[in-house]
Amino acid sequence: MHHSYNKPARVLHWLTAAIWLAVWSAGMLAVYARDWINPEHGLTITHKALAITLVVLVPLRIVWRLLHGSPGLPDSISPAMQQAAKLGHLAIYVVALVALPLSGWLWSSVADKPVMFLWLFQMPPLVAPAPDLYDAAKWLHVGLAWFCGAMIAGHILMALKHKWLDHDGVFESMWPRRG
Ligand code: HEM
Ligand code: HEM
């Protein structure tokens, strides 16, 4: 059995994961169940207010990770696979946790729409309003959202494979068993 991520790293992983999955689902429902669940844009506002917390939590998580490293993977996993996992995690950080929230903030900014941080205060715009960039910003956010949906689905499937098929302690490094 190999080591686990330390407590703050695990708390940050599961907190950002829960927010990310909630926000992704809310975004999809806001758009594709609009008439039924989002007629007054309430879910869109919730989507943005919750998602924008990631611009604070993710830098915290990245700094913690750079200071504390990771427990590494067990020797039963080949060096090539370990390298692939590393690249996959790097892609999640860069694309799903940094670029995707920024693209949403960018879209709202060019559209001149307010973004609330939770329901506490309004975020400053990332850039000045730019109606001619509206379509590009929208497609960037929507494209990244779908790409990241697939990437995170793959991440979750791999994690569950470690837990239920490989029994190699990788899942438990992020979710230790008690005792
Ligand atoms: C990790 C963070 C985020 C994720 C996973 C995410 C995901 C999504 C998804 C899946 C959609 C639906 C895409 C579609 O049309 O097919 C969406 C729409 C949208 N997102 Fe995000 N998003 C994130 C962050 C943000 C942020 C920070 C903002 C703005 C501050 C934002 C603003 C929007 C808006 C305005 C929509 C359209 C909603 C509507 O038309 O009612 N998103 N997002
Ligand atoms: C049910 C959902 C999830 C499960 C079961 C899960 C499980 C795991 C496990 C077991 C690890 C450790 C893997 C290793 O050390 O090689 C891990 C790492 C990681 N997870 Fe998740 N995860 C989930 C959701 C998410 C989400 C939604 C995100 C981001 C959007 C995410 C981002 C990451 C990142 C970036 C790492 C690498 C951590 C590091 O070494 O710094 N995870 N996850």
Side-chain angles (χ1 to χ4, degrees), residues 20 23-24 27-28 30-32 34 38 41 44 47-48 51-52 54 96 100-102 104-105 107-108 115 141-142 145-146:
W20 199 97
V23 156
W24 193 89
M28 284 296 176
V31 172
Y32 300 105
R34 193 182 303 284
N38 192 27
H41 313 299
T44 305
H47 171 77
K48 300 195 293 178
I52 204 72
L54 292 171
L100 179 56
L102 287 181
W105 191 8
W107 179 16
S108 288
V115 178
H141 188 62
V142 173
W146 280 92

Side-chain angles (χ1 to χ4, degrees), residues 5 13-14 20 61 65 73 89 93 152 155-156 159 171:
Y5 287 86
H13 172 269
W14 293 111
W20 199 97
R61 185 171 166 193
R65 172 65 161 87
L73 291 164
H89 290 156
Y93 279 115
I152 295 300
H155 174 68
I156 295 173
F171 183 88

